[in-house]
Amino acid sequence: MILYSFIIIPLAAGILIYLVPKRQMIRFAFLLQLGLLGLSAYNFIMIRLEGPREMVLGGFEIIAGISLRCDTLSGALLILTAFIFTMCYIFGLMDRLMSNLFIFLFLVLQALVTTIFLSRDLFNIYVVTEVSTIIVAVLIMFKKDSRSIYDGMLYLITNIAAMTFFLFGTAFIYKSFGTLDIDMIEAKMHAVANPKALILPFSLIMTGVCLKCAFVPLFSWLPKAHATPSAPSIVSVILSGLYVKCGIYMFIRMREMFMPAIAIDEVFLYIGIATGIAGFVMAMAQKDIKLILAYHTISQMGLILMGISYGNQFSYYGGVLHLFNHAIFKSLLFFFAGIIISKYKTRDITKIRGVFKRMPYVSVMAFAAMLGITGAPLFNGSVSKYFIESGLEGSIVEYEFILISAGTIISFIKFSQIFPGNGSEGKIRVDRWKKAAVTIMGFMCIAMGLGGTIIIGAVFNYEVSINAAGYARNAAIFLISLAGGYFLYTKYLKKTRFIREGISIELGVNEIGICIAGFFAFITAAAYLIK
Amino acid sequence: MQKLKEEKKINFINAQNTSIIIFFIGLYGLCARRNIIKTIIALGIMSGGVILFFLSINRTPGSMPPIFIGEVPVPADPLPQALVITAIVVGISVTAVALIMFIAMYHKYGTTNWVKAMKHRMERDKE
């Protein structure tokens, strides 16, 4: 029953909290989260000891019942889910925002995200993703600000269109295989005589999943949704830190499922490179603190995709590890952005000054996250980037990888202009719960940097070690990029119109629809030609 | 010869091909219509195509519903219908949510046009 309890407990608690209108219920929700965190850790240990766990509701056979399956990757993602949600409760414990309705939506979203990680049935994944899309859209427009309504609407329409593609692909798969269970389909995939018959379902499903992951050219909904002005920062944390990982997780599973029949990893590799570059270029041009972080999410998604689809074992492990690392440092950065926005009442980084003097403690923790995302030695990003790069070594893709890392560094040099300044307005008080959340996340950045190999060992059951010479080489590349980026930024880029005034490319629903159709045609053509 | 051609034509117009065409008509609506309500309708058309596809797959001629006692000659596959019911329910709720959001948006912006709505939103960004 343990797998079901991950879904039922948050749902039941959410309804209970909604029905009992007491302010203290947030404490109850917080304690519940701690319990779920412990339970997911226990679950992970049991899976490590006993192997993957599988459960079918009602005692039917797998083909007939609703089955949940948990291997080490899903187990680790369950821990991540519980951890990020716990941090959000700690961060918002004293906030007036955390009303009972908000907690209800939050708990339901948690149950749905957990189901995406556990379910092995294509149709269930569709239903759960669709419902979670609605919940996320409601959370985006929670404050009913006039801008966030447009953003939420754009998010809802584009994501539903994408999931309709996914459903259509599922229908094709059911027609060909007569089952919806991912593992069974994967087993039957070897026996497919004519893989060309699977190109259409492949491209339909991949179009849906790639929009969820925000790859080029399907990313323009993401910055709006993740950085909408009035959305509470906790919502941004959940979306950017956790929810976008559902897309990547689905991508990993679908890629594995189609692997025996259709493998167009090289196409996805180039999509990953384009995503990485587009993400940081757009991030450099922004002045809005949340938009910068949201565009970096796109860039990091590109890095993860590069790692996954390069076809090397180490870069694959690095890509998956980067997924966890990104969740940690991006959540911390959005917490930081939330504190800044609530204290400075502005989101424009050119107007925010003296953060270090006014909030020294929080700033130090934000530095940890910035060093993590740029891949500084000893911090978490460096380990995953090391593994991705060790797989790429010697190929031309490595230079593109270094370019994306350097671009991230330049963008964060621009971001860090908020820190200096005399801070003459006096110190800002940050409540201790927010400080606690930020502290835990900051230390996690360092802990995952030191223990990155342990995570890979635990998730993939494969011992990896870091080669000191290779790591030193990466550290040298980091320092050179940092120095070069600083020089380039202060001497040259800072004065360009691109950085000062920024650009904004706004795609409406129609344009995103055209992008979806184009992406679908592209994937179909690629699968057809490569096969 | 003429008859064979006719037969081929009729074979082409089957549920599966129709559903694919309906799906892409919906996609066209999503790409080409600027009216927000029409976009929501286009999404409905897309999911309508998928529903038709689900209903038409795995049908064996001469099969019986699998609720017999005793021997069933050829049981029909009940799963697509079960899936379709869920897909319809999900589609309806999504349409309802989208329409409610549209009403809220209309109260704020006073337009049913995506381009104008985007302009309003961008103007508020600059304020």
Side-chain angles (χ1 to χ4, degrees):
Chain A
M1 272 320 275
I2 185 166
L3 292 185
Y4 287 104
S5 56
F6 282 114
I7 301 163
I8 292 168
I9 291 175
L11 274 182
I15 294 166
L16 182 73
I17 286 171
Y18 186 61
L19 292 179
V20 182
K22 282 265 162 59
R23 186 75 188 90
Q24 287 78 23
M25 286 314 255
I26 185 169
R27 303 219 172 114
F28 168 65
F30 172 55
L31 291 178
L32 191 91
Q33 283 302 324
L34 286 181
L36 280 174
L37 188 60
L39 193 65
S40 52
Y42 167 76
N43 178 44
F44 187 78
I45 293 168
M46 291 312 282
I47 287 169
R48 281 290 292 158
L49 295 178
E50 294 172 0
R53 198 186 274 268
E54 194 164 62
M55 282 179 187
V56 184
L57 197 65
F60 293 103
E61 283 174 46
I62 290 176
I63 195 163
I66 297 172
S67 66
L68 298 181
R69 193 161 188 277
C70 189
D71 57 8
T72 43
L73 179 59
S74 350
L77 283 165
L78 287 192
I79 298 179
L80 184 73
T81 312
F83 178 72
I84 303 261
F85 271 99
T86 313
M87 286 304 125
C88 285
Y89 284 104
I90 295 179
F91 187 82
L93 211 56
M94 290 296 149
D95 263 354
R96 222 177 305 137
L97 166 84
M98 296 289 262
S99 63
N100 288 26
L101 175 65
F102 190 84
I103 298 174
F104 165 71
L105 290 171
F106 235 51
L107 282 167
V108 173
L109 183 65
Q110 183 179 11
L112 294 170
V113 168
T114 313
T115 320
I116 293 176
F117 290 144
L118 286 179
S119 181
R120 283 310 185 87
D121 181 299
L122 283 174
F123 194 77
N124 284 352
I125 291 178
Y126 161 75
V127 173
V128 170
T129 318
E130 198 85 327
V131 179
S132 62
T133 303
I134 294 176
I135 303 263
V136 168
V138 173
L139 281 175
I140 289 173
M141 48 172 80
F142 194 73
K143 283 188 182 165
K144 292 183 193 148
D145 173 273
S146 61
R147 279 171 291 184
S148 59
I149 285 186
Y150 176 82
D151 297 343
M153 186 92 188
L154 186 79
Y155 172 81
L156 187 78
I157 299 284
T158 49
N159 277 269
I160 283 170
M163 282 324 281
T164 316
F165 270 84
F166 185 88
L167 180 64
F168 207 17
T170 307
F172 271 101
I173 289 282
Y174 184 74
K175 184 173 181 272
S176 314
F177 293 95
T179 173
L180 291 167
D181 189 274
I182 294 180
D183 298 317
M184 283 186 170
I185 296 168
E186 194 183 337
K188 287 182 182 176
M189 199 68 85
H190 291 280
V192 174
N194 182 12
K196 271 189 182 159
L198 289 175
I199 287 177
L200 198 55
F202 174 77
S203 45
L204 283 167
I205 286 184
M206 278 306 176
T207 308
V209 172
C210 287
L211 188 129
K212 280 273 164 204
C213 307
F215 296 148
V216 160
L218 306 173
F219 62 80
S220 37
W221 58 270
L222 186 141
K224 285 236 169 321
H226 289 200
T228 184
S230 66
S233 60
I234 308 178
V235 173
S236 303
V237 167
I238 289 298
L239 291 185
S240 223
L242 189 65
Y243 190 64
V244 80
K245 308 297 180 299
C246 296
I248 290 282
Y249 175 78
M250 270 150 69
F251 180 83
I252 292 175
R253 291 294 185 211
M254 294 300 127
R255 176 181 165 276
E256 268 173 24
M257 187 179 91
F258 280 107
M259 191 58 105
I262 300 174
I264 52 162
D265 274 352
E266 49 275 68
V267 176
F268 282 116
L269 179 66
Y270 287 104
I271 292 176
I273 294 170
T275 311
I277 292 175
F280 83 74
V281 169
M282 293 297 289
M284 267 192 230
Q286 307 302 323
K287 284 191 287 192
D288 183 317
I289 184 165
K290 264 185 164 183
L291 267 182
I292 292 176
L293 298 179
Y295 276 111
H296 274 295
T297 300
I298 298 170
S299 172
Q300 303 296 315
M301 287 299 115
L303 286 188
I304 294 172
L305 179 62
M306 279 167 76
I308 288 171
S309 57
Y310 186 69
N312 179 297
Q313 201 181 15
F314 287 107
S315 44
Y316 181 81
Y317 293 161
V320 176
L321 182 62
H322 202 62
L323 189 157
F324 289 92
N325 289 338
H326 177 258
I328 302 294
F329 52 61
K330 193 47 69 71
S331 307
L332 175 47
L333 284 171
F334 266 114
F335 280 146
F336 177 62
I339 295 174
I340 285 186
I341 292 168
S342 68
K343 302 293 177 193
Y344 279 80
K345 307 282 183 240
T346 176
R347 299 150 55 84
D348 190 340
I349 56 165
T350 55
K351 289 180 188 149
I352 302 168
R353 283 290 172 273
V355 175
F356 191 76
K357 281 266 172 64
R358 297 186 71 186
M359 305 190 270
Y361 185 77
V362 178
S363 300
V364 170
M365 291 302 157
F367 274 134
M370 281 166 60
L371 292 172
I373 195 170
T374 47
L378 297 182
F379 288 88
N380 56 358
S382 68
V383 182
S384 44
K385 283 189 175 176
Y386 163 78
F387 279 112
I388 297 176
E389 206 170 343
S390 69
L392 303 178
E393 209 168 334
S395 78
I396 191 149
V397 182
E398 194 189 357
Y399 296 104
E400 273 130 12
F401 185 84
I402 293 171
L403 174 74
I404 295 170
S405 299
T408 312
I409 291 171
I410 294 177
S411 174
F412 272 94
I413 290 172
K414 184 187 175 190
F415 184 85
S416 60
Q417 64 176 284
I418 61 173
F419 290 109
N422 52 17
S424 50
E425 286 106 335
K427 287 214 162 145
I428 293 174
R429 263 197 82 238
V430 181
D431 86 58
R432 57 183 173 181
W433 291 104
K434 288 194 168 56
K435 266 189 187 167
V438 170
T439 310
I440 296 171
M441 293 298 241
F443 278 102
M444 277 300 282
C445 281
I446 299 171
M448 285 175 77
L450 301 176
T453 49
I454 301 171
I455 297 173
I456 291 184
V459 172
F460 292 107
N461 199 13
Y462 186 88
E463 285 300 319
V464 283
S465 59
I466 291 179
N467 179 351
Y471 199 74
R473 178 171 163 272
N474 275 29
I477 291 175
F478 170 77
L479 290 176
I480 292 168
S481 328
L482 185 65
Y486 186 76
F487 180 76
L488 201 67
Y489 179 75
T490 47
K491 288 280 176 233
Y492 179 69
L493 283 174
K494 203 174 171 183
K495 294 164 194 132
T496 56
R497 197 157 161 256
F498 174 71
I499 295 278
R500 269 189 299 128
E501 291 174 21
I503 47 161
S504 64
I505 302 171
E506 293 300 334
L507 296 187
V509 165
N510 300 138
E511 289 84 3
I512 295 177
I514 293 168
C515 286
I516 294 174
F519 188 82
F520 168 70
F522 172 70
I523 292 288
T524 314
Y528 192 80
L529 291 177
I530 289 175
K531 208 68 218 174
Chain B
M1 195 65 196
Q2 190 69 28
K3 211 178 171 190
L4 203 75
K5 260 189 184 172
E6 291 272 300
E7 242 172 42
K8 257 191 181 169
K9 236 186 226 168
I10 291 167
N11 278 348
F12 180 74
I13 309 174
N14 55 12
Q16 191 184 327
N17 291 343
T18 319
S19 63
I20 292 174
I21 292 167
I22 292 176
F23 182 83
F24 283 102
I25 289 174
L27 186 61
Y28 168 76
L30 188 71
C31 297
R33 296 291 116 187
R34 286 191 176 170
N35 190 315
I36 297 174
I37 292 192
K38 282 183 185 166
T39 307
I40 297 169
I41 294 173
L43 286 178
I45 294 172
M46 277 168 85
S47 69
V50 179
I51 288 165
L52 180 61
F53 189 88
F54 260 119
L55 284 176
S56 67
I57 54 178
N58 284 14
R59 182 181 167 274
T60 335
S63 58
M64 305 280 270
I67 46 170
F68 273 76
I69 300 172
E71 192 121 327
V72 185
V74 188
D77 185 1
L79 194 62
Q81 268 100 31
L83 297 181
V84 155
I85 291 173
T86 320
I88 290 172
V89 171
V90 169
I92 286 177
S93 15
V94 160
T95 313
V97 171
L99 284 173
I100 289 169
M101 284 184 180
F102 166 69
I103 293 170
M105 198 166 141
Y106 189 77
H107 282 308
K108 296 271 182 197
Y109 298 158
T111 176
T112 57
N113 187 315
W114 277 116
V115 179
K116 281 183 190 159
M118 192 162 89
K119 247 182 217 161
H120 282 286
R121 192 222 174 273
M122 293 305 134
E123 272 162 22
R124 293 203 166 109
D125 238 1
K126 281 174 198 148
E127 278 163 18

